[in-house]
């Protein structure tokens, strides 16, 4: 974008791929092909069980024990090929450094390989090196995960020249290692043994001044993502002067968490977004490891002034004796440029040992005053603190709004309290037993205490967290959430970015008193072409309604006329992988299974769907390049990030097994376009 200025990031990206300039600029003058050179490196998959064909050129990171036959690590399977692979952690751990190079070979038109291990483009990378002058032609760091990701390079500019691969580890400490396996050359580089085509990850996905959001085959096209860098919690969601604003926790210099900024986007309809300059920035680092920054918060309209409250986080490792979490306020009169933040709450109240963060502002209709809820916890029980103010600057501590019983996490993050359909609703985010959950409670509020009458999980999938809502000009309660969590894999790190925000959703209370959600109505404007539609169709066996990386499926299943107990859909499907959605009639359980979805987290998620009077199941499913969001007619939802390995993994199929039949009252599949607005 024209305002996108991140010199550090551009430098890092240039290390990820040495071809930020036109790729031909890296090529030496054509050389006479050396016919004696082999077509690829010796022992490309380390199937000899040792470093045969590879030479250790430095250090101890790749000693004799680096070639491993381990199938799994602490987080699951490696997904390597064959029996062996080069595991950079196996020989000497994270603190060892060193490098190893392959035998020389004639550069083919394409090279692909599997890479795992840490992310650090300056100190951890696989490089293609030209023999004649030692020039690194291309290089790629890891995904900060042991599980392997397939990288595909176009090496045609150097075809026939003598080259070799080099694996470099100059990083110590956590994630100070790199993994390599299954080097492929020529036609085999792009096509798997099953005949399917690998998605092009790595080379095609690095930043350009033009911000090509379409280049990366895993980048969502109608969800907000950072062009490069990292995002997590949505912040400051608001409609202000008619435009919808979306701020996000943001670290521009790497695709992982770091000193937090606030990214900023705005648009006309809560679906399409135009990037704006970074709204809030942290202070300069006092030490190289100082992670002080601008944590999560919210926004309100204060008589025409856009006012945001946020957590000012101070890293006490770099600033001994400082208060780690306080509340600050900043303002803007143009919706773009913000004043420096001013601290308005300098100390957490007693009983906040687990934390004190994520202030959410609202105007209390009971007394007309400004109120602020802040996430906290103590003694293993999450809680929400409440403050009151007349001017958004001077705040009085009111007390504990509500707290848990110890079963819903020790710290409640990102609280949000609002009135909806005659009830009060509290949103809060928890980490429980290694899983991140977006919880809610429905109940009553008397101006100082919230009393829950019903509890629930807002989205049964694995990738909705830190939800934040606002009331728009039409009176709707809209919500967005971080479409990820703290435990998931982030394969997109190999492209230099990580994180996405969910579709905006409209919240409502169901007839049964649950908190329901539906996609915001403006999502209809994403349609890019005429839908494929059917009416009153019976499905026997497998039936493909269509395909596409960015599609919306709306279907109404007649459960009474569907034989068998299970309705199955395969999303982002090919012969080798799919994300599977199943509804079981006998239990009312809707399940989203990502076990065979490709890269990323392998899990099964579920939610309950309330039966309808006419015995139908209404589904509204949004499929983006690396996400699936499922909504039901009764307001239930399942969301998951999924990362297919193959280009062919884009089919949408109904499956009726064992002679059973699925009866569809209607079904429609529509291709969706991009949500990115020009600058």
């Amino acid at each position: 974008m024209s305002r996108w200025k991140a010199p550090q990031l551009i430098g890092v990206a240039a290390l990820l791929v040495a071809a930020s300039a036109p790729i031909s600029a890296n090529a030496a003058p054509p050389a006479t092909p050396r016919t004696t050179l082999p077509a690829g490196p010796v022992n490309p998959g380390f199937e000899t069980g040792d470093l045969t064909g590879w030479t250790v050129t430095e250090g101890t990171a790749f000693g004799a024990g680096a070639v491993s036959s381990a199938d799994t690590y602490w987080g699951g399977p490696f997904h390597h090929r064959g029996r062996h692979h080069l595991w950079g952690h196996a020989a000497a751990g994270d603190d060892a450094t060193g490098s190893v190079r392959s035998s020389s070979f004639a550069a083919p038109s394409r090279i692909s390989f599997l890479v795992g291990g840490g992310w650090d483009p300056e100190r951890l990378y696989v490089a293609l090196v030209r023999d004649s002058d030692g020039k690194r032609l291309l290089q790629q760091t890891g995904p900060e995960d042991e599980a392997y990701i397939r990288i595909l390079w176009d090496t045609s500019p150097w075809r026939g020249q003598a080259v070799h691969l080099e694996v470099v580890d100059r990083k110590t400490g956590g994630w100070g290692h790199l993994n390599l396996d299954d080097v492929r050359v020529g036609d085999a580089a792009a096509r798997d043994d099953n005949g399917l085509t690998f998605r092009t990850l790595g080379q095609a996905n690095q930043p350009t001044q033009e911000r090509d959001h379409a280049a990366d085959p895993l980048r969502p096209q109608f969800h907000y993502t950072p062009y490069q860098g990292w995002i997590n919690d949505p912040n400051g969601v608001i409609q202000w002067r008619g435009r919808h604003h979306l701020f996000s926790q943001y670290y521009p210099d790497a695709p992982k968490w770091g000193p937090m900024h606030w990214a900023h986007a705005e648009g006309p309809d809560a679906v399409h977004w135009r990037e704006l300059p970074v709204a809030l920035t942290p202070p300069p680092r006092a030490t190289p490891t100082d992670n002080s920054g601008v944590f999560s918060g919210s926004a309100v309209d204060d008589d025409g002034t856009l006012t945001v409250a946020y957590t000012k986080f101070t890293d006490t490792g770099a600033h001994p004796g400082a208060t780690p979490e306080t509340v600050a306020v900043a303002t803007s009169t143009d919706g773009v440029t913000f004043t420096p933040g001013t601290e308005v709450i300098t100390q957490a109240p007693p009983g906040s040992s687990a934390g004190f963060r994520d202030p959410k502002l609202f105007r209390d209709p009971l007394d007309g005053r400004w109120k602020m809820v802040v996430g906290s916890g103590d003694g293993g029980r999450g809680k929400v603190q409440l403050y009151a103010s007349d001017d958004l600057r001077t705040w009085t501590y009111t007390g504990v709004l509500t707290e848990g019983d110890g079963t819903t996490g020790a710290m409640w993050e990102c609280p949000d309290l609002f009135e909806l359909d005659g009830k009060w609703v509290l949103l809060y985010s928890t980490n429980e037993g290694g899983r991140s959950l977006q919880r809610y409670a429905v109940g009553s509020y008397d101006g100082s205490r919230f009393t829950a009458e019903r509890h629930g999980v807002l989205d049964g999938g694995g990738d909705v967290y830190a939800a934040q809502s606002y009331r728009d000009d039409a009176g709707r309660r809209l919500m967005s959430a971080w479409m990820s969590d703290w435990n998931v894999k982030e394969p997109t790190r190999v492209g230099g970015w990580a994180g996405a925000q969910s579709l905006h959703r409209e919240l409502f209370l169901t007839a049964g008193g649950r908190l329901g959600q539906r996609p915001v109505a403006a999502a209809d404007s994403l349609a890019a072409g005429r839908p494929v539609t059917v009416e009153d169709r019976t499905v026997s066996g497998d039936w493909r309604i269509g395909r596409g990386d960015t599609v919306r499926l709306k279907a109404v299943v007649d459960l009474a006329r569907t034989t068998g107990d299970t309705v199955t859909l395969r999303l982002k499907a090919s012969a080798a992988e799919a994300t599977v959605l199943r509804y079981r009639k006998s239990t009312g359980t809707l399940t989203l299974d990502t076990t065979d979805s490709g890269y990323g987290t392998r899990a099964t998620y579920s939610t309950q769907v309330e039966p309808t009077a006419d015995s139908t199941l209404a589904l509204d499913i949004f499929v983006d390049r690396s996400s699936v969001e499922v909504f039901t007619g009764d307001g239930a939802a399942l969301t998951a990030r999924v990362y297919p390995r193959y280009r062919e993994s884009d089919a949408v199929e109904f499956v009726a097994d064992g002679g059973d039949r699925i009866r569809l009252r209607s079904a429609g599949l529509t291709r969706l376009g991009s949500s990115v607005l020009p600058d």
Side-chain angles (χ1 to χ4, degrees):
M1 60 185 171
S2 60
R3 296 186 179 91
W4 182 60
K5 297 183 185 299
Q8 286 181 296
L9 181 57
I10 295 172
V12 167
L15 288 164
L16 283 167
V17 171
S20 292
I23 197 167
S24 59
N26 290 314
T32 302
R34 294 175 55 185
T35 58
T36 57
L37 285 172
V42 174
N43 198 16
F46 305 97
E47 288 306 291
T48 62
D50 57 23
L51 289 173
T52 296
W54 296 76
T55 303
V56 174
T57 54
E58 180 184 342
T60 60
F62 302 103
V67 176
S68 174
S69 60
D71 293 324
T72 60
Y73 65 102
W74 49 90
F78 279 102
H79 298 302
H80 61 291
R81 296 301 180 95
R83 292 190 58 194
H84 298 92
H85 54 109
L86 184 69
W87 185 14
H89 187 270
D94 279 339
D95 287 332
T97 60
S99 59
V100 62
R101 60 163 287 176
S102 74
S103 59
S104 294
F105 57 97
S109 58
R110 286 176 291 195
I111 294 176
S112 75
F113 54 88
L114 294 172
V115 66
W119 187 96
D120 190 326
E122 296 182 357
R123 296 180 292 177
L124 284 173
Y125 54 85
V126 179
L128 180 68
V129 181
R130 185 161 52 208
D131 286 6
S132 62
D133 57 5
K135 181 178 180 60
R136 292 196 302 270
L137 306 172
L138 296 168
Q139 62 190 76
Q140 175 69 52
T141 191
E144 200 112 319
D145 185 24
E146 302 293 355
Y148 283 104
I149 304 294
R150 173 72 58 179
I151 302 300
L152 177 59
W153 283 342
D154 175 8
T155 55
S156 57
W158 310 285
R159 187 171 182 175
Q161 296 179 32
V163 295
H164 63 273
L165 291 173
E166 188 174 22
V167 186
V168 175
D169 175 1
R170 296 195 177 98
K171 177 178 171 60
T172 59
W175 286 111
H177 67 275
L178 204 67
N179 313 334
L180 179 70
D181 192 35
D182 198 37
V183 179
R184 296 175 174 232
V185 298
D187 292 341
R191 192 171 296 276
D192 206 348
D193 301 339
N194 57 19
L196 299 178
T197 310
F198 295 121
R199 292 183 181 238
T200 304
L201 305 183
Q203 186 174 341
N205 310 317
Q206 306 312 317
T208 65
Q209 290 301 116
E210 290 74 31
R211 288 195 310 135
D212 185 0
H213 281 85
D216 189 327
L218 295 181
R219 182 186 293 279
Q221 296 299 286
F222 54 87
H223 293 83
Y224 178 78
T225 64
Y227 182 56
Q228 289 279 283
W230 161 280
I231 60 168
N232 51 283
D233 305 359
N235 296 154
V237 290
I238 190 173
Q239 188 172 13
W240 185 72
R241 296 184 181 175
R243 305 287 286 185
H244 296 264
H245 290 257
L246 171 63
F247 302 85
S248 302
Q249 290 284 276
Y250 175 51
Y251 181 50
D253 294 341
K256 54 185 183 178
W257 190 90
M260 286 290 99
H261 303 55
W262 273 28
H264 188 191
E266 63 87 29
D269 56 7
V271 171
H272 294 86
W273 302 105
R274 177 174 66 100
E275 199 78 35
L276 293 176
V278 172
L280 302 175
T281 59
R285 279 180 153 172
T287 69
T289 59
D290 183 1
N291 281 320
S292 300
V294 184
F295 277 13
S296 292
S298 57
V300 292
D301 184 344
D302 182 21
D303 289 331
T305 298
L306 182 58
T307 302
V308 300
Y310 61 89
T311 302
K312 177 184 176 184
F313 170 69
T314 303
D315 185 342
T316 56
H319 304 271
T323 301
E325 293 174 320
T326 62
V327 176
V329 167
T331 62
S332 175
T333 57
D334 62 5
V336 178
T337 304
F338 286 80
T339 61
T342 300
E343 280 189 319
V344 295
I345 301 177
T346 59
Q347 292 288 335
S352 302
S353 62
F356 179 68
R357 54 184 174 269
D358 313 330
K360 179 65 192 294
L361 303 170
F362 66 101
R363 180 76 81 170
D364 191 337
L366 300 181
D367 61 12
R369 303 184 74 195
W370 290 110
K371 298 291 175 69
M372 175 197 296
V373 289
V374 186
S376 187
D378 186 55
R381 300 157 65 100
K383 65 174 67 172
V384 178
Q385 309 283 8
L386 181 65
Y387 288 79
S389 175
D390 293 318
D391 60 2
L392 294 171
R393 301 299 186 277
T394 302
W395 291 90
T396 301
Y397 177 54
T398 301
V400 176
L401 175 77
T402 188
E403 63 184 319
D405 60 5
T407 65
T408 55
M411 170 71 196
W412 286 2
E413 296 188 299
C414 303
D416 186 0
L417 182 67
F418 54 88
E419 196 174 15
L420 181 68
D421 299 339
K423 290 287 188 178
W424 282 83
V425 177
L426 176 70
L427 301 178
Y428 58 101
S429 300
T430 68
N431 285 278
E432 304 170 30
R435 184 182 177 189
S436 299
L437 291 175
Q438 178 59 58
R439 290 190 170 273
Y440 74 87
V442 179
S444 61
Y445 166 67
D446 64 5
S448 60
R449 291 284 294 181
F450 171 80
T451 302
E453 300 165 4
R454 180 170 190 147
H455 297 270
V457 174
L458 183 62
D459 188 298
D463 293 301
V464 163
Y465 193 77
Q468 189 173 122
S469 75
Y470 64 106
R471 188 177 184 272
D472 74 349
D473 292 348
R476 301 173 300 175
R477 176 59 58 170
L478 302 186
M479 181 215 80
S480 182
W482 179 30
M483 198 164 59
S484 190
D485 72 33
W486 293 112
N487 306 300
V488 300
K489 300 173 184 292
E490 297 282 1
T492 64
R493 282 196 181 101
V494 299
W497 63 277
Q501 307 299 20
S502 73
L503 278 174
H504 271 48
R505 306 170 182 193
E506 182 180 355
L507 300 179
F508 62 94
L509 293 183
T510 70
R514 292 189 298 108
L515 182 60
Q517 58 202 297
R518 61 175 71 96
V520 65
D524 292 348
S525 66
L526 291 166
R530 298 180 61 183
V532 175
T533 60
V534 297
E535 302 283 342
D536 295 323
R537 182 184 181 101
T538 299
V539 175
S540 300
D542 298 354
W543 176 61
R544 178 177 299 171
I545 187 173
R547 61 192 320 148
D549 257 353
T550 57
V551 296
R552 181 182 190 179
L553 174 68
K554 299 185 75 171
V556 178
V557 182
D558 188 334
L559 297 175
R561 299 174 65 188
T562 293
T563 63
D565 191 43
T566 303
V567 176
T568 301
L569 287 88
R570 283 167 42 88
L571 309 168
K572 304 194 78 67
S574 67
E577 58 190 5
T579 300
V580 181
L581 182 70
R582 297 185 182 92
Y583 177 73
R584 181 155 293 184
K585 293 162 54 178
S586 59
T587 62
T589 304
L590 187 68
T591 300
L592 190 64
D593 187 346
T594 67
T595 303
D596 294 312
S597 294
Y599 305 119
T601 304
R602 299 158 60 91
T604 300
Y605 310 105
S606 64
T607 190
Q608 291 300 118
V609 178
E610 294 182 353
T612 59
D614 62 350
S615 191
T616 60
L617 172 67
L619 296 172
D620 193 356
I621 304 172
F622 288 78
V623 179
D624 210 337
R625 286 184 176 178
S626 58
S627 68
V628 172
E629 290 172 283
V630 180
F631 302 92
T632 67
D634 71 327
L638 290 169
T639 300
R641 296 298 303 277
V642 294
Y643 307 91
R645 290 182 171 86
Y646 304 110
R647 293 182 184 178
E648 293 86 353
S649 298
D650 65 354
V652 178
E653 302 169 340
F654 288 85
V655 180
D657 293 323
D660 291 327
R661 297 183 302 278
I662 299 172
R663 182 65 178 179
L664 297 175
R665 289 194 181 180
S666 63
L669 187 72
T670 306
R671 290 184 179 271
L672 301 183
S674 172
S675 65
V676 178
L677 295 175
D679 297 329

